[in-house]
Amino acid sequence: MEHLKKQVRIVPMTSEHLDEVAALERVCFSDPWSRNMLAEELANEMAAYLVALDTADGSVVGYAGLLVVADEGYITNVAVRPESRRGGVAGALLDVFVSFAEGNRLAFLTLEVRASNYGAIALYGSRGFRGVGRRANYYEHPKEDAIIMTREFGDDDHGDEAPNGDAAEGGL
């Protein structure tokens, strides 16, 4: 696991975080989820949402969401404030979901990412996710394909490490 450059505390998202998370959505996404949509997801028993709180001031610097159905996990959103990116925040959020998936014997975690979001694709690849498909014109504003990335889990899962111990690279 990488060393966090930004010191954060990962906690379950509550209604107290909704205003900050909705503001983060507007900063990070061209089609942001509304505060009401986020509140509905908090009430969804199949969903888990986490926030990364800055240890210095308690503000929300990132968040991530996960839907679980049977033994399948779908990562809905991962967002980090632009000034906190490349500080390990998204990786810390993902690590919680990967640990959850392993501990609860999920078959896989999957997500979509903009085809041009090379930084996110590299991050997901470093966590064992692999490109498994493409959704044409999935995103609007601007219109762009999504890369479907999945990490499968099984009894012999060890993080998909390459023979030299580095995480194997993902690709399509």
Side-chain angles (χ1 to χ4, degrees):
M1 186 185 316
E2 76 231 35
H3 177 68
L4 279 174
K5 296 177 202 162
K6 180 74 169 177
Q7 295 301 308
V8 297
R9 186 168 53 99
I10 308 295
V11 299
M13 189 168 87
T14 68
S15 59
E16 293 175 6
H17 303 121
L18 286 174
D19 288 336
E20 285 185 272
V21 172
L24 181 58
E25 275 279 319
R26 290 189 299 274
V27 168
C28 294
F29 300 114
S30 59
D31 288 317
W33 286 14
S34 69
R35 186 186 190 286
N36 287 342
M37 291 170 74
L38 292 161
E40 287 175 12
E41 284 303 303
L42 271 184
N44 183 348
E45 292 182 8
M46 308 296 273
Y49 283 80
L50 302 171
V51 290
L53 302 176
D54 188 319
T55 58
D57 63 12
S59 65
V60 173
V61 296
Y63 95 101
L66 174 70
L67 290 175
V68 177
V69 178
D71 66 345
E72 302 173 1
Y74 176 75
I75 296 175
T76 58
N77 297 29
V78 178
V80 175
R81 290 202 164 281
E83 65 273 14
S84 298
R85 291 181 185 156
R86 301 218 183 291
V89 176
L93 290 163
L94 282 172
D95 290 342
V96 173
F97 287 155
V98 168
S99 293
F100 173 86
E102 290 171 334
N104 288 278
R105 299 189 173 272
L106 296 187
F108 62 84
L109 289 175
T110 193
L111 56 86
E112 288 100 3
V113 59
R114 278 188 182 271
S116 64
N117 193 344
Y118 303 119
I121 291 168
L123 172 66
Y124 301 138
S126 76
R127 297 309 193 272
F129 286 79
R130 302 290 166 257
V132 297
R134 183 178 287 263
R135 295 192 199 284
N137 300 315
Y138 182 78
Y139 293 102
E140 299 284 335
H141 311 108
K143 192 163 286 283
E144 186 174 356
D145 291 356
I147 304 300
I148 304 165
M149 297 187 77
T150 298
R151 174 166 173 181
E152 295 182 2
F153 298 92
D155 293 334
D156 60 345
D157 183 67
H158 298 290
D160 292 333
E161 288 190 355
N164 65 2
D166 293 334
E169 288 188 43
L172 290 180

